[in-house]
Amino acid sequence: MKKIGFLSFGHWTPSPQSQARSAADVLLQSIDLAVEAERLGMDGAYFRVHHFAQQLASPFPLLAAVGAKTRKIEIGTAVIDMRYENPHYMAEDAGAADLIAGGRLQLGISRGSPEQVIDGWRYFGNRPIQGEDDAGMGRRHAEEFLELLRGKGFAQPNPRPMFPNPPGLLRLEPYSAGLRDRIWWGSASNATAAWAAKLGMNLQSSTLKFDETGEPLHIQQAAQIRTFRAAWKEAGHTRTPRISVSRSIFPLLDDRDRGYFGRGSQEEEDKIGFLDENTRAIFGRSYAAEPKILVEQLRKDEAIAEADTLLLTIPNQLGVAYNAHVMEAILTSIAPALGWH
């Protein structure tokens, strides 16, 4: 394992128990949390994107703000639902945010997960084309986005422009060179992992995956990663791909930790559920224990061993200070034993 980042779902709840009671709280605390993570030596700050929910949604203002406040840490998403996106507008926003951050964006995109409303992407003006479902539309948007990030001109210039044009067809601006290689696909199946590899995207595998074999999540994810690597090699790409897995990990160091995540609330086994009437999914367990126990448990996690990046899902509603405490505990008492330095 080479890199460790945090992954925030950006929840807010207007209740006395939450430290994030509004959208403003979540956005400002997300910036502060990324600054703290960089200070602690963490490698990445990642944010989930959900629409029609009291969670982080439009990611690029936040990514740009984090980029302006930090200097080294990777800044990313896990994931942006491409069913909702206009690839052209997204390419402009992503280019601007990446330039502000000095080329540190690591954008996770995907076909999306079950949402708060029925076909929410329709309210954003998107429609599948004939013979296409919403998942296919998301993948089509992803391919359009990837093509735009190549920076190749495609638009016919006006012969009487307001400002002088460079010669040839025009591309979208601002353009950030290198961003195309820093796009990740959030995959829930072996087939889409292979598809992502063919297109030259990095791989994100979360705490949820389609249950394709009935085995524990970490074993299925390890097989998914090997499928991805084989497809990458077959496609003939020259660079080495990045691969991340997500986990919920909480070292129990004090009474506060035990109160939040002690054995009474610990999820010690994977769970099985259905995303819809036909899709059986496996949800990864949470890890909460004393550091020595956690190290032994995580060493047995085959997917963590296969991946180069570990994303730690954090309880953002517990506030910046507590989450910094959790991250520091993992970086000092867990990560070195797993090969991170």
Side-chain angles (χ1 to χ4, degrees):
M1 182 176 56
K2 298 178 181 178
K3 294 181 182 290
I4 298 180
F6 74 79
L7 171 58
S8 173
F9 279 52
H11 294 281
W12 75 85
T13 304
S15 70
Q17 290 75 32
S18 176
Q19 298 295 313
R21 302 177 187 177
S22 68
D25 287 344
V26 168
L27 289 164
L28 294 172
Q29 289 177 25
S30 294
I31 298 169
D32 292 342
L33 191 58
V35 171
E36 278 295 288
E38 182 173 78
R39 181 186 66 81
L40 293 169
M42 188 161 277
D43 301 298
Y46 288 75
F47 303 95
R48 186 68 166 90
V49 179
H50 272 295
H51 301 286
F52 298 103
Q54 291 186 337
Q55 294 176 242
L56 296 170
S58 178
F60 292 106
L62 174 60
L63 296 175
V66 172
K69 288 284 190 178
T70 57
R71 292 293 176 266
K72 296 180 180 180
I73 196 169
E74 293 181 344
I75 308 162
T77 52
V79 288
I80 299 173
D81 187 335
M82 293 303 292
R83 296 175 299 178
Y84 285 78
E85 294 299 321
N86 176 320
H88 291 72
Y89 202 94
M90 182 177 174
E92 291 182 341
D93 280 350
D98 195 42
L99 291 172
I100 289 170
R104 289 182 284 132
L105 254 59
Q106 303 283 342
L107 290 181
I109 63 176
S110 179
R111 56 81 76 197
S113 59
E115 292 293 302
Q116 299 299 106
V117 300
I118 297 171
D119 295 345
W121 33 269
R122 292 186 182 274
Y123 298 98
F124 283 58
N126 295 317
R127 299 287 188 278
I129 60 178
Q130 186 174 1
E132 181 182 65
D133 60 11
D134 64 307
M137 177 179 65
R139 288 190 286 270
R140 172 168 53 84
H141 287 175
E143 292 189 47
E144 292 174 7
F145 177 60
L146 293 174
E147 184 59 32
L148 292 169
L149 291 184
R150 296 185 188 280
K152 184 179 179 180
F154 63 92
Q156 189 69 39
N158 187 339
R160 298 180 183 84
M162 180 176 294
F163 306 105
N165 281 324
L169 299 177
L170 301 183
R171 68 186 182 189
L172 292 174
E173 302 288 355
Y175 173 70
S176 184
L179 179 57
R180 172 63 177 79
D181 290 341
R182 289 179 273 114
I183 306 302
W184 306 57
W185 184 258
S187 174
S189 70
N190 290 4
T192 54
W195 173 82
K198 180 180 178 181
L199 292 179
M201 288 187 280
N202 303 307
L203 177 67
Q204 289 180 338
S205 193
S206 74
T207 53
L208 178 155
K209 184 185 177 297
F210 293 172
D211 185 13
E212 299 182 87
T213 65
E215 297 171 294
L217 173 69
H218 73 102
I219 294 176
Q220 294 197 49
Q221 278 187 321
Q224 180 190 41
I225 292 170
R226 290 190 289 270
T227 298
F228 172 81
R229 286 203 174 103
W232 185 277
K233 183 178 180 180
E234 183 179 354
H237 302 304
T238 56
R239 69 178 178 88
T240 301
R242 295 276 303 276
I243 300 167
S244 74
V245 295
S246 301
R247 294 290 184 270
S248 298
I249 302 171
F250 302 102
L252 304 182
L253 302 182
D254 56 30
D255 289 341
R256 182 174 50 166
D257 298 330
R258 285 183 281 272
Y260 285 138
F261 303 106
R263 186 162 299 276
S265 61
Q266 184 180 355
E267 300 173 7
E268 296 184 347
E269 301 292 338
D270 297 335
K271 293 184 177 180
I272 299 296
F274 286 85
L275 300 179
D276 55 43
E277 59 272 15
N278 299 315
T279 308
R280 176 182 165 105
I282 183 166
F283 301 81
R285 57 165 293 187
S286 294
Y287 292 90
E290 306 295 327
K292 289 183 179 180
I293 297 174
L294 281 179
V295 168
E296 292 306 311
Q297 291 175 335
L298 295 170
R299 280 176 172 165
K300 298 175 183 177
D301 191 307
E302 294 184 15
I304 290 178
E306 288 279 355
D308 60 74
T309 301
L310 174 62
L311 298 184
L312 305 167
T313 61
I314 60 167
N316 75 278
Q317 290 185 88
L318 295 181
V320 174
Y322 182 74
N323 280 289
H325 158 76
V326 171
M327 289 189 293
E328 184 173 22
I330 291 172
L331 292 179
T332 57
S333 64
I334 307 295
L338 299 178
W340 178 85
H341 56 83

